[in-house]
Amino acid sequence: MSISSRKHTHQVLIGNVRMGGGAPIVVQSMTNTDTADVDGTVKQIIELATAGSEMVRVTVNNEDSARAVPDIVNRLAQKGFYTPIIGDFHFNGHKLLEKYPDCAQALAKYRINPGNVGKGKARDPQFQQMIEFAVRYNKPVRIGVNGGSLDQAVLTRLLDDNRKRANPLDLPAITREAIILSALESAAKAVELGLGKDKIVLSCKISDVQELIRIYEDLSNRCDYALHLGLTEAGMGSKGIVASSAALAVLMQQGIGDTVRVSLTPEPGAPRTNEVVVAQEILQTMGFRSFTPLVIACPGCGRTTSDYFQKLAKDIQAFLRDQMPVWRDRYKGVEDMKVAVMGCVVNGPGESKNANIGISLPGTGESPVAPVYEDGVKTVTLKGDNIAEEFQALVERYIESHYSPQ
């Protein structure tokens, strides 16, 4: 399964990854290491790429980080990782790219924020410098507008114009227009400076779900550039997941968006890769792409007073995701597989039959046996103390016999 979201954008090539113009929606993430820490940054990029991130952005905010970028890219290549690395520039990107041409060359894309590329009279020449580097090194650019760092010159201009209107717009409407205009005017300027439309990605990110939807709907209607989606400062835990899912799902269902990042605040001790998993699960749940076999499991009720099926579902899901980096290169189409782990006789057999492979565990008071179904047909009944291990072995055997080696 691979369904493109937008059909009419310019296609942008970022390293070895295509986005827009009919390409599948791409998952992106960002490191939170000090980029100058080459070992730590390489380690985290490998973790993100192994989890399925197809592009990884790193902070380039000072000379040490700019100096480290080529070493990071080289070390990744030595380890067999060619994930495109994006440089995130704010305030001083023009200086860093000028002083460190190896950094400018090593990066697969530059991210520029029109709101802080320069202030006052310095804004236009510094933006021009950034674009000229992109043209010189043949690099695409994401012009990323953030509500929290909006170009105040654009906002002030619109507020002044609004005061002259017979029926002035409210501040939220003016702010939305300022965010969109900042992106579109910056893109038009980049084109004037020689950057091709197939080298430009736009984003307009804020933290309010409904406002984000309105902005991207409007932006999509007013341009044909590739669009990066993300709810910025989404938050932590379930709040961040739900908010990102709500915003991204609505937009992608309308065919808006070519690359996505889920900007979760990491919980203490939680892996950075969680944001990649959530982005993949949004895309897979919506039916746009498949990344790993789906585990179908019931929520449990009074018929399932034992938590055995919950543990089995969790273990199977973790097993499938852990194996995907290996299976992805070995078994064609395995990411489309559905595995059912059900907890009682009510829906267990039916859901198990509808999955590629499924198990119906006994509920409270039911016979202590667990029928297994493959492609709708019962193949074996498991019993005893090793049901989990035996079912996992059956899943592996099913994959080996049903998905041809690449």
Side-chain angles (χ1 to χ4, degrees):
M1 176 172 54
S2 179
I3 304 171
S4 173
S5 180
R6 297 186 87 221
K7 300 295 185 182
H8 304 294
T9 58
H10 298 280
Q11 189 167 92
V12 182
L13 181 63
I14 301 169
N16 56 3
V17 174
R18 295 184 182 278
M19 60 169 288
I25 302 168
V26 176
V27 173
Q28 182 179 151
S29 61
M30 185 174 183
T31 60
N32 63 353
T33 57
D34 179 354
T35 306
D37 174 8
V38 174
D39 290 340
T41 302
V42 167
K43 180 176 181 291
Q44 189 171 91
I45 290 172
I46 289 174
E47 291 169 353
L48 292 166
T50 301
S53 182
E54 294 157 299
M55 296 187 285
V56 178
R57 184 157 44 111
V58 300
T59 298
V60 187
N61 61 331
N62 54 37
E63 293 194 14
D64 289 340
S65 61
R67 201 163 30 234
V69 165
D71 195 9
I72 290 169
V73 173
N74 288 335
R75 289 202 201 180
L76 288 169
Q78 290 168 8
K79 295 174 181 291
F81 287 85
Y82 299 93
T83 307
I85 305 303
I86 302 163
D88 191 66
F89 293 99
H90 298 273
F91 308 109
N92 60 351
H94 61 294
K95 294 181 180 179
L96 296 175
L97 290 176
E98 181 175 29
K99 188 169 183 177
Y100 296 96
D102 288 350
C103 170
Q105 182 61 57
L107 290 168
K109 184 175 74 169
Y110 310 153
R111 189 279 177 130
I112 304 173
N113 184 341
N116 58 34
V117 73
K119 292 184 178 180
K121 293 180 180 179
R123 191 266 185 199
D124 287 347
Q126 289 176 191
F127 178 83
Q128 178 173 336
Q129 239 182 310
M130 293 289 290
I131 298 302
E132 286 173 348
F133 283 122
V135 173
R136 181 186 308 171
Y137 293 102
N138 195 30
K139 303 295 182 179
V141 169
R142 171 158 73 95
I143 297 172
V145 180
N146 272 24
S149 52
L150 177 59
D151 188 337
Q152 293 303 301
V154 176
L155 181 59
T156 300
R157 187 181 84 219
L158 292 184
L159 287 171
D160 289 342
D161 292 343
N162 192 51
R163 293 188 190 97
K164 302 171 186 176
R165 295 171 62 101
N167 297 301
L169 301 174
D170 59 19
L171 182 58
I174 294 296
T175 304
R176 286 196 300 272
E177 180 64 11
I179 290 171
I180 294 167
L181 271 186
S182 179
L184 293 178
E185 290 179 354
S186 297
K189 183 66 174 177
V191 172
E192 286 179 20
L193 294 168
L195 192 65
K197 290 186 176 181
D198 62 346
K199 297 288 186 184
I200 296 174
V201 181
L202 299 186
S203 68
C204 293
K205 298 170 74 173
I206 58 172
S207 57
D208 181 276
V209 171
Q210 293 292 350
E211 288 294 280
L212 187 85
I213 291 170
R214 292 186 187 99
I215 286 169
Y216 270 97
E217 288 174 340
D218 197 353
L219 177 65
S220 178
N221 286 331
R222 292 163 66 175
C223 77
D224 200 31
Y225 294 107
L227 300 182
H228 168 76
L229 296 185
L231 182 77
T232 193
E233 295 105 26
M236 183 179 287
S238 60
K239 186 270 177 187
I241 293 171
V242 170
S244 294
S245 301
L248 300 183
V250 169
L251 291 168
M252 290 189 295
Q253 188 66 21
Q254 298 180 68
I256 299 170
D258 302 290
T259 176
V260 300
R261 182 196 173 201
V262 175
S263 301
L264 295 179
T265 303
E267 297 189 29
R272 187 67 169 178
T273 53
N274 281 354
E275 67 175 51
V276 178
V277 173
V278 172
Q280 289 179 329
E281 289 180 347
I282 293 170
L283 286 169
Q284 187 151 352
T285 301
M286 291 292 294
F288 290 110
R289 291 185 66 183
S290 292
F291 297 94
T292 190
L294 280 178
V295 176
I296 301 163
C298 67
C301 66
R303 293 176 178 270
T304 55
T305 53
S306 167
D307 63 357
Y308 187 79
F309 87 95
Q310 300 165 14
K311 292 178 180 177
L312 179 57
K314 182 178 180 181
D315 290 346
I316 288 292
Q317 186 161 286
F319 166 71
L320 294 172
R321 185 164 285 281
D322 288 344
Q323 292 300 310
M324 271 309 294
V326 176
W327 289 346
R328 190 181 296 123
D329 296 327
R330 184 178 299 173
Y331 299 112
K332 184 178 181 180
V334 68
E335 65 275 7
D336 292 323
M337 187 174 75
K338 293 182 179 179
V339 181
V341 180
M342 303 299 293
C344 79
V345 74
V346 174
N347 291 317
E351 290 288 357
S352 297
K353 289 177 182 177
N354 289 329
N356 295 98
I357 181 169
I359 186 169
S360 179
L361 295 164
T364 305
E366 297 176 17
S367 299
V369 296
V372 175
Y373 299 83
E374 296 183 19
D375 299 320
V377 178
K378 186 168 79 171
T379 55
V380 66
T381 298
L382 304 180
K383 61 182 72 174
D385 298 328
N386 299 313
I387 288 177
E389 293 81 1
E390 292 175 13
F391 181 64
Q392 184 169 301
L394 289 172
V395 171
E396 287 191 90
R397 189 183 72 183
Y398 182 94
I399 291 169
E400 292 171 357
S401 62
H402 285 72
Y403 297 94
S404 59
Q406 297 276 29

